[in-house]
Amino acid sequence: MKDNFIILEGKNLDALIQEGMRKLNADKDQIDVQVLENKKSLFGSHVKIKVSLKASKAIDSIEKSIENIYKDSLGSQLIQNKKDIELIYNSDGVYVKLKKILPIEEIKQKVELKRISNVSYEALEIAL
């Protein structure tokens, strides 16, 4: 898996930030920038920065990697049915919305993949 940060050096801070966004495949609001060095002299400037993914982008990256592992080990059935399962996050809990009836095991795998705790599988089975 690729790193969630990159260290860059150069003369132009804005250009380095743009390069970091490109290399991490992230938007400006998905990154944190930390200036490690900022030296100015008669000959120009030298900047060293650390560009890192914010937690939500890093979690998305990890989830995609986990989904790829599931896809490779379980075949395409789970990934194909992924579009049939939607998790809705509300303040009072997480709800499962199905576009069609699926086996409880596939729903459990999706919920476990998202690391949702305190799940009432009994209530889910009754609803099915």
Side-chain angles (χ1 to χ4, degrees):
M1 181 190 316
K2 72 179 187 178
D3 291 330
N4 293 330
F5 71 92
I6 187 168
I7 296 181
L8 300 167
E9 295 184 60
K11 295 181 180 185
N12 185 311
L13 177 62
D14 291 331
L16 291 173
I17 293 171
Q18 292 296 320
E19 182 181 349
M21 289 170 23
R22 183 179 51 77
K23 288 188 176 186
L24 293 174
N25 193 26
D27 296 325
K28 180 97 172 164
D29 61 336
Q30 297 173 318
I31 62 168
D32 287 318
V33 178
Q34 180 182 2
V35 178
L36 302 174
E37 287 181 22
N38 190 4
K39 298 178 182 177
K40 294 183 181 180
S41 68
L42 294 173
F43 304 107
S45 63
H46 176 79
V47 181
K48 182 176 181 179
I49 64 170
K50 177 180 179 181
V51 181
S52 56
L53 294 174
K54 289 185 178 177
S56 63
K57 181 68 176 175
I59 290 170
D60 289 344
S61 175
I62 291 167
E63 286 179 349
K64 285 180 185 176
S65 295
I66 292 171
E67 285 181 5
N68 287 335
I69 291 168
Y70 271 118
K71 181 179 177 182
D72 292 342
S73 64
L74 299 175
S76 62
Q77 184 68 23
L78 176 63
I79 301 304
Q80 182 179 8
N81 289 337
K82 177 183 161 193
K83 295 176 183 170
D84 297 328
I85 302 172
E86 181 182 352
L87 298 177
I88 302 167
Y89 298 87
N90 287 340
S91 60
D92 61 338
V94 179
Y95 295 85
V96 177
K97 180 179 178 182
L98 301 175
K99 296 197 169 115
K100 67 178 186 178
I101 301 292
L102 296 171
I104 191 72
E105 290 305 316
E106 290 185 31
I107 298 168
K108 284 181 180 180
Q109 288 173 345
K110 173 71 174 187
V111 169
E112 289 170 4
L113 176 66
K114 294 292 185 177
R115 296 182 181 247
I116 299 170
S117 59
N118 299 329
V119 177
S120 173
Y121 290 114
E122 294 167 4
L124 194 57
E125 285 187 63
I126 290 169
L128 287 174

